[in-house]
Amino acid sequence: MKLTMAQALVRWLLAQRSETLDGREVPLFPGVFAIFGHGNVLGLGTALEEHRDELPVWRGQTEQGMALAAVGYAKATHRRQVGVVTSSIGPGALNMVTAAGVAHANRLPVLLLPGDTFVGRAPDPVLQQVEHFGDPTVTVNDAFRAVSRYFDRIVRPEQLLSTLPQVARVLTDPADAGPVTLALPQDVQAETYDFPEALFAPVTHRPQRPRPDRRALTEAAGLLRAARKPLLLLGGGVRYSGAGGRALAFAERHGIPVTETTAGRTLVPHGHPLHAGPLGVTGSASANVLAAEADVVLAVGTRLQDFTTASWTVFSPDVRLVTLNAARFDAVKHGALAVVADADAGLVDLATQLENWRADPLWTERASAERGRWDAHIDSLRAASDEVPTYAQVVGAVNALSEPHDYVMTASGGMPGELIGGWRGSGSISMDVEYGFSCMGYELAGAWGAAMAHTEGLVTTMLGDGSYLMLNSELFSAAFAGHPFVAVVCDNDGYAVIARLQEGQGGKPFNNFLGDCRSAHATPPRVDFARHAESLGCAVFTASTVDDMRAAYAKAREAAVAEHRPAVVVVRTRPDSWTEAGAWWEVGVPEHLSGRGDFEESKAGQVRYLKS
């Protein structure tokens, strides 16, 4: 088939199918986010227009916002569908690099198609070309190399024949999933080639279930059988494997308390007797207490980042760590006994090795006892008052009015600690806390993508005023396209959680709260978030008390669904009240600050390498 390179790429996208975790067949690439410029409008843009009825194209307002929406889409579909994002060359392309970092850190697939400068070089320097002085082959798109799982620059149309199978491999591989970047030079997009028809034959990509090595499995089972206080830690890999039910059944069969990472949140019903709560800095004191006493930790589908491990102070120095992970890269960290396998398949095989072994019943019962104490603490934080609402009270109001299949999101600032530690889920996978990269602005852009994908239940995203100001333009994109969700904007006059860190370690208030920033005005201007969101096409509701918040959120839910657009709740919140899990987080503390003593004390208890 004689096609341009761009036409061939679009036809290939249409031919790719995916099997969801519940066995349905869906398009692997359900849609494209696009802002056109001279670097992609005639090549890829024309090819997309030819198939506009088969492959939906959504226009965003910023390239970063579109790419973050694609990341949110991938998370909401449990990595079984992939958003495609295209931009022109130069600044449009570079705007997507941050989103590529988000996808890379969180192991989420997204396909980025930035335009690139002319391979033929006849018009050099073309508009938006930076011109590398020492290497003419380098363009701004080389910045994607550090944040792409797979990168290629298509300088000949026939290169698609060898690179597209690799693109599909990375986007659908449970171990390698992440962002793929194909840089598309403007002139090459329009060049033709006789492509074989077989390239466009439908292909269905199904979840892979690699099984564990028998020797590693036997060693892992031996450690668990010898454990007096085992703990099961569930991460995002359990979610993407569809192994939540399997993991809970495993815990029930063997009497093992269960805790969750940030990416694994809501895998376990909150009220389950084995649920100890979420682990780590933004987790719960209940899970952290058990982690400190556990002698064997079975960590499934997690890369064990610093917030989960409290910078590696949450476990006992004598703990034995078993990691079950599809990615060997993550499984071998920190001296763990690595079992490289799909989470679902690995737990099945491990259960056969353990047979009827069970943990000590007294240890098993600790999970519900400790979580009960944590629940009572959260209840006290949520208790209503006539004062300005706290983040905990706002989360409580949203939690109380949410339905079992709703989906709640956040990414940065103080909200992750409130949502991870305080949310009470029903056991459906209902949360996306982007805390691998903690990207301010993901909350709104990612919610647009999640709203496209999450068709059962309502998406609610929760964020601070700082994140709203960082990236809000995709509210208009969602309103224009008709994708409903609720955004709860908590206004506390600045970057309150960073101010908390700054002042809590002995630093002076500086450049975080708006009142501590340089301004030429005795009375600086304030942002009217309600009017701003309304101007972007959203339904808007405001609140100043906890009761107001409940009423506003209930109305926002109704409006979002009825009017097919985002509904925004703006609520003033306290800047000085937070949920504390009692865990340490390592940050650089200068010697002259008062927090240095606590830093040195906690640093001394940090586990650097565990024995397997």
Side-chain angles (χ1 to χ4, degrees), residues 221 225 250 253-254 348-358:
R225 279 198 219 94
F250 180 91
R253 178 177 178 179
H254 302 295
V348 168
D349 289 354
L350 186 55
T352 62
Q353 293 266 344
L354 292 172
E355 298 178 340
N356 295 320
W357 169 82
R358 287 186 62 84

Side-chain angles (χ1 to χ4, degrees), residues 8-154:
L9 177 56
V10 171
R11 283 177 180 259
W12 180 83
L13 293 174
L14 285 165
Q16 307 308 300
R17 309 288 293 173
S18 177
E19 185 181 282
T20 64
L21 293 172
D22 59 4
R24 293 178 295 113
E25 188 174 293
V26 295
L28 178 61
F29 303 104
V32 178
F33 299 89
I35 291 178
F36 294 131
H38 70 92
N40 65 346
V41 67
L42 297 178
L44 189 58
T46 299
L48 288 168
E49 190 278 331
E50 292 171 353
H51 296 276
R52 62 189 304 170
D53 294 333
E54 305 162 80
L55 187 61
V57 177
W58 307 102
R59 203 205 81 172
Q61 312 313 309
T62 70
E63 293 85 359
Q64 179 183 338
M66 294 191 307
L68 289 174
V71 175
Y73 193 102
K75 183 71 174 282
T77 61
H78 317 307
R79 301 199 305 198
R80 299 314 304 158
Q81 289 185 284
V82 180
V84 182
V85 193
T86 181
S87 74
S88 188
I89 63 178
L94 285 180
N95 281 346
M96 298 194 294
V97 172
T98 296
V102 172
H104 197 288
N106 290 282
R107 316 294 205 258
L108 292 170
V110 60
L111 178 57
L112 304 174
L113 303 176
D116 211 329
T117 55
F118 286 81
V119 170
R121 300 185 187 172
D124 283 8
V126 72
L127 178 68
Q128 299 182 323
Q129 182 177 350
V130 295
E131 288 190 293
H132 193 283
F133 287 11
D135 186 349
T137 68
V138 172
T139 77
V140 297
N141 286 336
D142 288 279
F144 283 98
R145 293 181 184 272
V147 286
S148 295
R149 285 294 181 116
Y150 184 83
F151 177 93
D152 198 3
R153 178 174 283 111
I154 308 301

Side-chain angles (χ1 to χ4, degrees), residues 494-564:
Y495 302 147
V497 78
I498 293 299
R500 166 199 179 197
L501 175 63
Q502 181 183 57
E503 297 175 50
Q505 298 298 321
K508 296 180 180 178
F510 177 63
N511 209 52
N512 285 311
F513 284 119
L514 295 176
D516 299 321
C517 297
R518 182 184 294 272
S519 174
H521 305 282
T523 304
R526 284 190 55 84
V527 177
D528 190 329
F529 294 100
R531 291 179 62 187
H532 186 270
E534 186 176 26
S535 75
L536 293 176
C538 302
V540 177
F541 305 87
T542 59
S544 57
T545 67
V546 177
D547 288 341
D548 289 346
M549 174 62 210
R550 293 193 188 97
Y553 180 65
K555 292 176 182 177
R557 291 177 60 89
E558 295 175 0
V561 174
E563 301 172 21
H564 301 287

Side-chain angles (χ1 to χ4, degrees), residues 279-285 288-289 306-311 313-314 374 500 579-586 602:
L279 186 68
V281 180
T282 51
S284 60
N288 294 341
V289 165
D306 69 331
F307 262 77
T308 296
T309 63
S311 298
T313 62
V314 77
W374 177 253
R500 166 199 179 197
T579 300
E580 301 278 2
W584 181 64
W585 182 39
E586 181 175 355
S602 297

Side-chain angles (χ1 to χ4, degrees), residues 132-501:
H132 193 283
F133 287 11
D135 186 349
T137 68
V138 172
T139 77
V140 297
N141 286 336
D142 288 279
F144 283 98
R145 293 181 184 272
V147 286
S148 295
R149 285 294 181 116
Y150 184 83
F151 177 93
D152 198 3
R153 178 174 283 111
I154 308 301
V155 298
R156 294 281 299 172
E158 59 266 38
Q159 286 179 337
L160 290 181
L161 298 175
S162 61
T163 204
L164 290 179
Q166 300 301 326
V167 170
R169 172 188 64 82
V170 173
L171 293 174
T172 62
D173 191 304
D176 289 343
V180 169
T181 302
L182 293 184
L184 307 179
Q186 182 178 164
D187 50 347
V188 180
Q189 290 180 42
E191 291 181 7
T192 57
Y193 180 74
D194 288 327
F195 288 93
E197 291 186 13
L199 180 64
F200 313 117
V203 176
T204 300
H205 303 274
R206 294 181 170 86
Q208 298 180 26
R209 304 288 187 191
R211 310 215 65 110
D213 174 77
R214 303 302 297 178
R215 182 181 300 176
L217 198 68
T218 299
E219 292 181 24
L223 279 180
L224 283 167
R225 279 198 219 94
R228 295 178 297 102
K229 297 181 178 181
L231 186 66
L232 179 60
L233 175 60
L234 306 182
V238 177
R239 169 180 180 163
Y240 303 135
S241 172
R246 181 83 63 193
L248 194 55
F250 180 91
E252 291 170 343
R253 178 177 178 179
H254 302 295
I256 306 176
V258 186
T259 184
E260 302 160 314
T261 72
T262 298
R265 275 298 270 125
T266 69
L267 282 165
V268 183
H270 177 77
H272 194 283
L274 290 175
H275 187 217
L279 186 68
V281 180
T282 51
S284 60
S286 52
N288 294 341
V289 165
L290 264 66
E293 296 183 28
D295 56 354
V296 175
V297 173
L298 174 59
V300 185
T302 171
R303 61 198 180 105
L304 295 170
Q305 58 113 299
D306 69 331
F307 262 77
T308 296
T309 63
S311 298
W312 287 96
T313 62
V314 77
F315 300 124
S316 162
D318 297 322
V319 73
R320 309 297 294 274
L321 181 62
V322 179
T323 52
L324 172 55
N325 204 299
R328 187 169 183 82
F329 178 87
D330 292 316
V332 301
K333 291 176 178 176
H334 301 288
L337 171 57
V339 180
V340 181
D342 166 71
D344 190 80
L347 286 171
V348 168
D349 289 354
L350 186 55
T352 62
Q353 293 266 344
L354 292 172
E355 298 178 340
N356 295 320
W357 169 82
R358 287 186 62 84
D360 184 336
L362 293 177
W363 173 250
T364 302
E365 293 167 4
R366 285 284 302 280
S368 58
E370 294 294 343
R371 200 202 66 249
R373 282 187 273 275
W374 177 253
D375 286 349
H377 174 62
I378 296 296
D379 287 340
S380 69
L381 295 178
R382 289 181 174 183
S385 67
D386 295 329
E387 299 177 358
V388 176
T390 65
Y391 268 32
Q393 290 171 329
V394 170
V395 168
V398 172
N399 202 167
L401 293 172
S402 293
E403 300 292 336
H405 293 288
D406 285 353
Y407 193 75
V408 64
M409 305 176 62
T410 193
S412 61
M415 191 55 73
E418 307 298 325
L419 208 55
I420 298 166
W423 190 263
R424 296 170 180 175
S426 62
S428 63
I429 301 172
S430 57
M431 184 180 290
D432 173 7
V433 177
E434 194 290 285
Y435 223 41
F437 218 51
S438 188
C439 180
M440 297 181 71
Y442 175 80
E443 295 95 336
L444 294 175
W448 179 29
M452 291 183 182
H454 198 77
T455 56
E456 186 179 9
L458 183 66
V459 172
T460 293
T461 186
M462 307 184 71
L463 65 156
D465 52 304
S467 280
Y468 183 95
L469 289 174
M470 190 76 73
L471 187 64
N472 53 60
S473 55
E474 304 316 327
L475 279 173
F476 175 72
S477 302
F480 185 89
H483 296 118
F485 60 86
V486 177
V488 178
V489 180
C490 298
D491 181 6
N492 55 20
D493 281 330
Y495 302 147
V497 78
I498 293 299
R500 166 199 179 197
L501 175 63

